[in-house]
Amino acid sequence: MIDRRAFLTLTAMAALAGCSSKFKTYDGPEVTRVVVMKGQRALYLLHHDQVLKAYRISLGYAPVGDKQIEGDGKTPEGRYHIDRRNPDSEFHLSIGISYPNEADIEEAKALGRKPGGDIFIHGRARKNRRRKGDWTAGCISVTDAEMEDIYAMVRDGTVIDIFP
């Protein structure tokens, strides 16, 4: 039989384990649009015209200009959608952006190259926590805690507009 002290210890440990989950819940206003302002290094979650949350971001290692080809280190610009999520991302959590679209594919094809893909909003994960500035391969990065909020708040199908 478990004595009272052991029972209380196990109960406390279980409660604390629940608090540390990377999967948060959100029951506020629906996020109807994500807006990224690359030049300001800012990401906004909006409910129609109301800003619900704002975050500082890091971008691809060559942040100026629109992504054209695989490996250029640029973050895409334009209108996309959130189209997938990865709870097991090596970058803590991530939500996918529907890059490339048909225009992106045609642009890269005209250059004789591939457009690339796998563009996400993601956390930093342990090995990238101390990185400063723009460091991703073209993704949008926030802190892990911020990514937990974004992951809970933003649904698949949400529009994301990425501006220069």
Side-chain angles (χ1 to χ4, degrees):
M1 228 160 90
I2 298 177
D3 69 8
R4 182 179 164 102
R5 187 178 302 164
F7 176 77
L8 291 174
T9 301
L10 289 172
T11 303
M13 288 173 52
L16 288 175
C19 292
S20 66
S21 173
K22 64 183 178 179
F23 300 108
K24 294 182 178 180
T25 59
Y26 173 72
D27 64 355
E30 175 188 11
V31 174
T32 57
R33 184 173 170 216
V34 177
V35 173
V36 174
M37 304 299 289
K38 289 173 50 175
Q40 297 172 11
R41 300 302 187 274
L43 181 148
Y44 302 96
L45 302 183
L46 284 81
H47 174 71
H48 302 295
D49 292 333
Q50 177 189 4
V51 174
L52 299 173
K53 291 275 193 163
Y55 303 96
R56 296 283 306 149
I57 60 172
S58 296
L59 299 169
Y61 61 82
V64 178
D66 188 17
K67 182 165 194 61
Q68 294 182 303
I69 58 172
E70 185 173 50
D72 64 7
K74 297 184 182 304
T75 301
E77 296 171 0
R79 175 164 276 190
Y80 300 95
H81 293 87
I82 301 302
D83 66 351
R84 62 200 181 279
R85 51 192 57 240
N86 183 356
D88 299 317
S89 169
E90 69 179 90
F91 298 99
H92 187 58
L93 292 169
S94 63
I95 56 175
I97 298 171
S98 63
Y99 176 89
N101 61 29
E102 288 183 30
D104 298 320
I105 295 167
E106 289 304 315
E107 181 179 33
K109 189 184 290 186
L111 296 170
R113 305 284 297 273
K114 295 178 180 179
D118 285 339
I119 302 296
F120 289 86
I121 301 170
H122 60 66
R124 289 184 159 278
R126 191 165 286 141
K127 69 180 180 178
N128 300 301
R129 284 208 178 116
R130 302 222 190 285
R131 285 190 161 181
K132 302 289 185 206
D134 298 314
W135 60 274
T136 75
C139 295
I140 299 163
S141 176
V142 295
T143 69
D144 289 355
E146 292 168 336
M147 190 62 224
E148 290 171 10
D149 291 340
I150 293 167
Y151 196 89
M153 294 174 74
V154 177
R155 299 286 163 240
D156 289 358
T158 303
V159 170
I160 177 168
D161 289 312
I162 306 172
F163 295 100

